[in-house]
Amino acid sequence: MRGLDDSTEIILRTGHKAQEQVRHAWDGFINFAARDNVLEVALGLIIANAFTQVVTSFVSDMVLPIVSLLPFLNRNMDQKFAVLSKGPNYDQLNGYNTLFQAREDGALVLAYGAFLETALNFLGVSLTLYTAGRVYMLIFHDKIIKPTVRCPYCKQYISESALRCRHCSSWQDGREDEPRSDKSSRQELADDEPRFAGESP
């Protein structure tokens, strides 16, 4: 009966380990879901989505109808299109009235009006988010918009205040252009590099 007791003990030990793993996984999920940064990301997505909807509605419902009043347009911007290939029911006198009608007839159209509307929406959303970021920086003094420059050596974008390039490790103060043919100049440059805390010179 010793073998039966050993089997029971193994089964109990295995069940206990599985229970501990499930509990550990659940605690990890709770810690992840309740962390501040996850909630901040979710809130940021909600706000960005709201901004997008407001700006899209502003461009589509307020700006474009006014633009459509121009004499050379005579219709809504999103309904401006060019027929590249006519469909079977194409009206030779009046053509197609709407973009939907042209596509339903199987015509090949260049919908440049819809593209311009989408481009204006994108531009409006971008400018709105940029303005919101600037206002946030003025109120909370938190630099969330960080200007970047190109590294003169590898041409990758780095922070404007960076001392060294994060891509090619070159110094940005011009010392890379100094002649380093002799051993002494290389040693001087090595001595100028900042050392880690606690590292002896």
Side-chain angles (χ1 to χ4, degrees):
M1 303 299 291
R2 182 176 178 80
L4 184 60
D5 293 339
D6 291 343
S7 300
T8 304
E9 184 178 352
I10 291 174
I11 292 173
L12 291 177
R13 191 182 307 135
T14 304
H16 182 68
K17 287 182 179 180
Q19 184 179 3
E20 288 294 329
Q21 289 178 353
V22 170
R23 183 181 302 146
H24 181 70
W26 176 253
D27 291 340
F29 172 74
I30 293 298
N31 290 333
F32 171 77
R35 282 190 309 188
D36 292 339
N37 55 353
V38 175
L39 297 178
E40 289 176 1
V41 169
L43 182 60
L45 291 175
I46 293 173
I47 294 175
N49 187 35
F51 265 120
T52 302
Q53 292 180 357
V54 170
V55 175
T56 300
S57 176
F58 175 75
V59 172
S60 300
D61 303 329
M62 302 288 290
V63 176
L64 291 181
I66 296 175
V67 174
S68 300
L69 293 176
L70 295 175
F72 57 88
L73 290 179
N74 295 326
R75 65 170 62 188
N76 289 336
M77 178 68 74
D78 60 340
Q79 293 300 322
K80 295 294 289 183
F81 61 93
V83 179
L84 302 180
S85 178
K86 302 173 184 177
N89 299 320
Y90 180 76
D91 188 352
Q92 297 294 335
L93 294 178
N94 300 319
Y96 297 111
N97 292 325
T98 63
L99 180 62
F100 177 78
Q101 182 184 14
R103 286 177 171 168
E104 282 292 307
D105 193 34
L108 181 62
V109 295
L110 183 67
Y112 60 89
F115 172 77
L116 290 177
E117 181 178 359
T118 303
L120 288 175
N121 285 333
F122 171 76
L123 183 62
V125 170
S126 301
L127 291 177
T128 303
L129 292 178
Y130 177 76
T131 304
R134 282 292 183 183
V135 172
Y136 178 86
M137 289 172 58
L138 289 175
I139 295 176
F140 297 102
H141 305 288
D142 185 9
K143 195 172 183 180
I144 60 174
I145 301 177
K146 301 176 182 178
T148 59
V149 294
R150 279 185 180 271
C151 172
Y153 304 101
C154 68
K155 306 304 181 185
Q156 297 292 328
Y157 283 101
I158 57 174
S159 174
E160 188 180 40
S161 59
L163 298 178
R164 299 185 74 170
C165 177
R166 49 179 277 200
H167 302 284
C168 65
S169 300
S170 60
W171 289 93
Q172 301 299 302
D173 57 1
R175 71 177 71 181
E176 298 288 345
D177 298 328
E178 297 177 1
R180 287 185 277 176
S181 57
D182 58 315
K183 184 178 180 181
S184 60
S185 62
R186 289 196 299 269
Q187 185 63 36
E188 289 175 0
L189 291 177
D191 293 339
D192 289 341
E193 293 186 7
R195 298 182 179 275
F196 294 104
E199 182 181 351
S200 60

